[in-house]
Every structure is written in C-alpha cells, then in structure tokens.
Amino acid sequence: MRARFSQQRRTTALIAAAGVLALCAGGVWLATRPSGAPAPEPANERVMRQIRMQAGRGAELRYSEPGQRRAVCGYLGRRAGGPATAFVSIPNRILFSDDPLPTEFREMRLRYCPGFTGAPAGAR
C-alpha cells in the first residue's frame, strides 16, 4: 500500500511540474512576441523628417527612389532653386553627398543604392 501512495505522489508532482513549465513557457512567449511593437515609419515620412532635421525647413525633396532594404536615395535642394544634393537615407541615418564624409557616403550609396549614380533629368 505504501509503494502505491508514493507512486501517486510522484505522478502528481510530475504533472504539477509540467504545468508550471508550460505556464512559464507561455509567459515567456507572450513577453517576447513583437505584437506590441509600433509599425515602422513609412519611408517617405522618414526621409522628409530627416531632411527637415538635417538640411533645414527650407529644404525641398526633388527626387527619391527606393533602395535596398529600407533605404531611400535621391536629391534635395537645400533652398528653392539651389543646386541638387544627393542623399542616402536609412532608418537611423541620412548622409548627403556634400557631407564631410565622402567615403562613407559613397560606401552607403554603393551598398544600399547601387544603381543610383547620376542625376535624374530635371534635377538642378
């Protein structure tokens, strides 16, 4: 009789342990799934925000095209009627062709926008 009672306790303990592990696994799954993460900012809005912050409110977007991944490449004018400046925008950064980092700009352009090399017709 004693052995049977011990076997019953062991079975109950194993079932309880399995239940606790299942609850813990469910909690970890709920805590780590990205359903509460905000949607990424649309590329056109991101580019305009970056241009306004880096080039000023008077800057105008003249041309843009999607690059690889979430990059956007294009041309802007720092002021109306001014010369066009190329840019490469990625979600956390924007670089301009006239920045003091020409090598970094060239590398970003080749990496994210390999076909973007010449000025489009109509860009000043």
Side-chain angles (χ1 to χ4, degrees), residues 21-87:
L21 284 174
L23 285 173
C24 288
V28 168
W29 178 75
L30 285 173
T32 59
R33 66 177 201 185
S35 65
E41 181 180 24
N44 58 347
E45 291 177 22
R46 179 192 78 228
V47 168
M48 291 308 299
R49 177 182 51 80
Q50 289 174 328
I51 287 173
R52 280 193 303 269
M53 288 177 63
Q54 298 296 321
R57 288 230 171 255
E60 61 183 9
L61 178 64
R62 297 201 181 147
Y63 173 81
S64 69
E65 65 184 46
Q68 295 177 354
R69 299 185 192 163
R70 293 186 57 219
V72 175
C73 304
Y75 294 94
L76 67 100
R78 293 192 186 274
R79 64 185 189 290
T85 303
F87 69 85

